[in-house]
Amino acid sequence: MTTLGAVFRPQLPPERLRPVVRAAEDAGLEELWLWEDCFLESGIAAASAALAWSERLRIGVGLLPVPLRNVALTAMEAATLYRLFPDRVTLAVGHGVQDWMAQVGRKAASPMTLLEEHLTALRALLRGERVTTEGRYVRLDDVALDWPPATRAPILAGARGPRTIDLAGSRADGTVLDCTAGPDEVRRARQRIDEARAEAGRTDDHRVVSYLLTATGPGSGERLAVELDHEGIASVPDVAVSGDAAAVARAVRRRADAGADTVVLQPTADEPDPEGFVRFAAEEVRPLLT
């Protein structure tokens, strides 16, 4: 059965997170996803608080931009979360927005090489391995975590282009597809992921997470149109949905049928009622998917 989640947009101030977490927990939402967007909010700090404020709700961070992060620090933070809150954490890493990376002096000449090196070292560290590597970007000398995760700690990769999708399939434990990927793109990505996994000899599970830009309630159509224009995808069909729970559930099913294991409803940046949005997802949309 498809897992349903929602996004807490970092355009909201950090102090809004707790009431949204409590609303999601009380409504029975399966997952709440957070973003580490420049220069808004920290993904790890927000995830730690959200996990502490809840008991059942699973928290995803999609994604952590690797140019900003030493891989040992990413591994330490990830391992801490996976040990404190086993089976309730999903972390994804990715290229980050290149303009933002340039603003902080961290734009890589080869984002693909950086992501591949980071993913490889990160997953090895989280498996409890001692790592020495001298890559173009990632350099570790006899590094091992003192407190690696006690259980499997999956690391997903955010991907949009075909080369990154192939990398996610071969090196990551799952793939996060952003809101620009409609059902056809999800289907093509799933096929590429499966082919890359087969070529790499991987037979473990690989989770595909698909963001679905969603608006509901009064003025939803207008708010969605503004968001689509901002994202530059106003002319792309079937990448967003506005309307009632039945309309949203149909859009979720289309992504699930295309190969998404998890569909995460992404509200507009100006969503007027974020607590109501997570309740809508859990109480109105989720029952229509069973």
Side-chain angles (χ1 to χ4, degrees):
M1 185 171 67
T2 306
T3 299
L4 186 68
V7 178
F8 175 86
R9 295 283 296 257
Q11 285 80 9
L12 294 166
E15 58 268 25
R16 289 297 301 273
L17 179 58
R18 182 167 186 166
V20 173
V21 168
R22 294 308 312 164
E25 173 94 349
D26 293 343
L29 185 69
E30 292 161 281
E31 295 186 353
L32 185 69
W33 282 72
L34 310 170
W35 296 349
E36 188 165 86
D37 274 3
C38 296
F39 300 95
L40 295 166
E41 292 164 13
S42 159
I44 295 294
S48 299
L51 288 159
W53 290 329
S54 56
E55 296 180 358
R56 177 207 51 80
L57 182 66
R58 297 196 298 273
I59 301 297
V61 181
L63 47 77
L64 301 170
V66 298
L68 288 178
R69 299 179 149 271
N70 182 283
V71 70
L73 176 61
T74 307
M76 291 161 59
E77 292 181 324
T80 299
L81 287 182
Y82 280 121
R83 288 187 72 104
L84 287 173
F85 306 100
D87 302 321
R88 292 182 55 208
V89 183
T90 302
L91 299 180
V93 297
H95 297 305
V97 176
Q98 296 305 295
D99 288 346
W100 292 341
M101 300 303 103
Q103 280 184 270
V104 296
R106 300 293 297 185
K107 184 176 181 179
S110 177
M112 286 293 300
T113 301
L114 170 56
L115 183 57
E116 181 175 6
E117 291 179 359
H118 195 104
L119 264 173
T120 301
L122 177 59
R123 294 182 66 242
L125 289 168
L126 292 176
R127 290 193 298 266
E129 298 175 15
R130 186 169 296 276
V131 180
T132 296
T133 183
E134 184 71 22
R136 181 174 179 181
Y137 297 102
V138 175
R139 300 176 179 89
L140 299 174
D141 181 10
D142 196 34
V143 174
L145 297 175
D146 286 288
W147 297 104
T151 57
R152 183 174 180 266
I155 295 293
L156 283 61
R160 180 181 287 185
R163 292 179 61 208
T164 312
I165 289 171
D166 290 346
L167 176 63
S170 62
R171 297 299 179 96
D173 301 303
T175 303
V176 178
L177 303 173
D178 69 16
C179 69
T180 65
D184 290 343
E185 289 74 19
V186 171
R187 185 173 292 105
R188 285 192 287 268
R190 178 93 248 187
Q191 182 177 353
R192 290 193 73 101
I193 289 164
D194 290 344
E195 291 171 353
R197 281 166 44 76
E199 186 173 341
R202 298 192 60 172
T203 58
D204 52 337
D205 292 335
H206 188 102
R207 181 183 179 197
V208 173
V209 178
S210 172
Y211 287 129
L212 171 60
L213 188 56
T214 305
T216 189
S220 60
E222 292 80 2
R223 286 189 287 110
L224 191 62
V226 171
E227 190 86 5
L228 288 168
D229 185 64
H230 175 75
E231 294 287 344
I233 52 175
S235 62
V236 181
D238 213 15
V239 293
V241 59
S242 66
D244 60 10
V248 175
R250 287 193 294 271
V252 171
R253 287 195 205 97
R254 286 195 290 273
R255 277 164 171 71
D257 292 343
D261 303 293
T262 300
V263 178
V264 182
L265 306 185
Q266 176 182 322
T268 59
D270 61 349
E271 165 59 49
D273 182 11
E275 293 88 355
F277 186 86
V278 298
R279 286 192 290 265
F280 166 76
E283 297 174 350
E284 299 186 45
V285 179
R286 171 77 269 178
L288 300 179
L289 301 176
T290 56

